[in-house]
Amino acid sequence: MKSPIHQLHQFLLDRFTSSELRQFALFYWEGVSQKLPGESISHADLCMQLCTALQRLGLIDADLFALLERERPRFRPEIDQLRRHFQAADASTPAADTSQPLIAFVAANPIALPALRLAEEARDIEDKLRTTGARFRFQSTWCAGPDELLDALVETSPDILHFAGHGGRNGALLLQTAEGGAHPVAPAALAGLVAARPWKPRLVVLNCCYSAVLANALRPHVDAVIGMRDEVPDDVGRRFAVQLYRALAQRDSLATAFDTARAALRVYNLAADHLPQLTVRGAVDPQRYRLF
């Protein structure tokens, strides 16, 4: 079953246009409106970023559901069910346990580059993790630029840093500017940032094209990095990531999880199992290393 936040995402995706959601943010949630990117973002990613912002600001409340009912009265039974799911989740959710692994999902899709199904990737990863019964924390950041990447690394100190988006042929991460353009971050720059932090991610997953170069630059500073050797189709990266996290959450070793995710690509008839690359720091044994 989908988590309540993903059910809300699907409801907004199906029942509202991007223009309507931007108007709601402008009139009802000024703090949220300021965080939304430009018109270039896909409808799915806009819905996911809006849901994430509402959740972080504590705005998924009675006023939100009243607004949904007022704007879409035909769907009151669906909205009421959505409300009950959030209430049940709130009642059963304990205080955040910082001993649980934190996954920071950072996504960027500049305007001029092909649109990726990043919201679907985040949703599928989180939903698959929940089916395993694993205990974890999942935090997503959308339309990420330099500030958002710094926030993800410096403020949250994640155990797993997952980047989803585009990569340059030179190994650079392609983040977004405020206007939606591409902002390249060179491998040496990101490696320097990670090296400077006292708390480093245990695993970095670079689900973007040509990221093996960046993976090699990060290797001296983190226990393990997964990158892609070449251009990687969107469905390949997404399916690889989902299977990787499922295996990790079932307490498979890093090596077993990586090999399982690669082999799964063949099951999907995707001849791309040569693309993912696992790189580990010298003292790390991937056959014994576990993240959950």
Side-chain angles (χ1 to χ4, degrees):
M1 182 179 179
K2 292 180 180 178
S3 65
I5 195 67
H6 287 140
Q7 293 176 47
L8 176 60
H9 169 258
Q10 192 65 52
F11 182 84
L12 297 180
L13 187 66
D14 293 342
R15 308 302 183 201
F16 294 92
T17 66
S18 292
S19 177
E20 288 174 317
L21 294 176
R22 288 183 184 279
Q23 288 180 346
F24 294 158
L26 181 63
F27 288 113
Y28 297 104
W29 313 301
E30 182 178 355
V32 173
S33 179
Q34 295 171 353
K35 296 179 181 296
L36 295 181
E39 299 291 338
S40 61
I41 188 174
S42 71
H43 184 46
D45 283 350
L46 174 67
C47 291
M48 183 57 79
Q49 181 155 351
L50 179 59
C51 289
T52 302
L54 290 172
Q55 186 177 45
R56 287 184 183 173
L57 295 173
L59 295 174
I60 300 179
D61 54 15
D63 290 340
L64 170 64
F65 293 113
L67 172 63
L68 296 180
E69 288 182 342
R70 185 166 64 250
E71 295 294 331
R72 293 294 186 271
R74 290 175 49 207
F75 300 103
R76 277 181 178 159
E78 190 175 340
I79 295 166
D80 190 51
Q81 184 180 46
L82 188 59
R83 179 193 291 111
R84 290 198 300 271
H85 286 165
F86 271 99
Q87 290 172 341
D90 289 342
S92 62
T93 301
D97 182 355
T98 56
S99 67
Q100 297 174 8
L102 171 60
I103 302 166
F105 182 97
V106 178
N109 199 156
I111 300 173
L113 299 178
L116 303 173
R117 294 157 67 182
L118 303 181
E120 185 174 336
E121 180 175 338
R123 181 198 66 203
D124 289 352
I125 289 172
E126 189 172 4
D127 286 348
K128 189 62 71 176
L129 283 168
R130 292 187 188 282
T131 65
T132 68
R135 298 172 64 83
F136 65 95
R137 294 170 291 153
F138 192 93
Q139 179 172 306
S140 54
T141 301
W142 301 93
C143 304
D147 287 341
E148 289 76 19
L149 178 62
L150 286 165
D151 288 347
L153 274 171
V154 177
E155 293 187 7
T156 65
S157 299
D159 299 283
I160 300 174
L161 174 65
H162 181 109
F163 177 78
H166 290 282
R169 288 182 178 274
N170 62 351
L173 289 187
L174 299 182
L175 302 180
Q176 289 180 237
T177 65
E179 296 75 28
H183 178 96
V185 178
L190 184 57
L193 173 62
V194 172
R197 297 300 304 153
W199 178 279
K200 298 171 176 52
R202 298 174 61 198
L203 170 65
V204 176
V205 179
L206 301 167
N207 205 5
C208 56
C209 300
Y210 312 112
S211 52
V213 175
L214 177 54
N216 289 330
L218 290 172
R219 179 173 58 180
H221 310 298
V222 298
D223 288 347
V225 191
I226 294 174
M228 298 293 175
R229 291 188 173 92
D230 205 333
E231 185 173 350
V232 56
D234 190 21
D235 58 341
V236 169
R238 185 174 63 256
R239 285 173 167 152
F240 171 81
V242 170
Q243 298 306 320
L244 173 74
Y245 283 104
R246 174 165 67 173
L248 289 174
Q250 291 175 331
R251 293 196 51 77
D252 284 348
S253 71
L254 178 58
T256 298
F258 177 77
D259 290 342
T260 299
R262 287 179 59 209
L265 296 178
R266 288 285 183 179
V267 177
Y268 288 115
N269 293 325
L270 298 170
D273 55 315
H274 62 288
L275 292 175
Q277 170 186 295
L278 172 62
T279 304
V280 299
R281 190 156 45 184
V284 173
D285 180 359
Q287 297 290 347
R288 297 176 177 272
Y289 195 87
R290 287 174 171 78
L291 288 115
F292 286 81

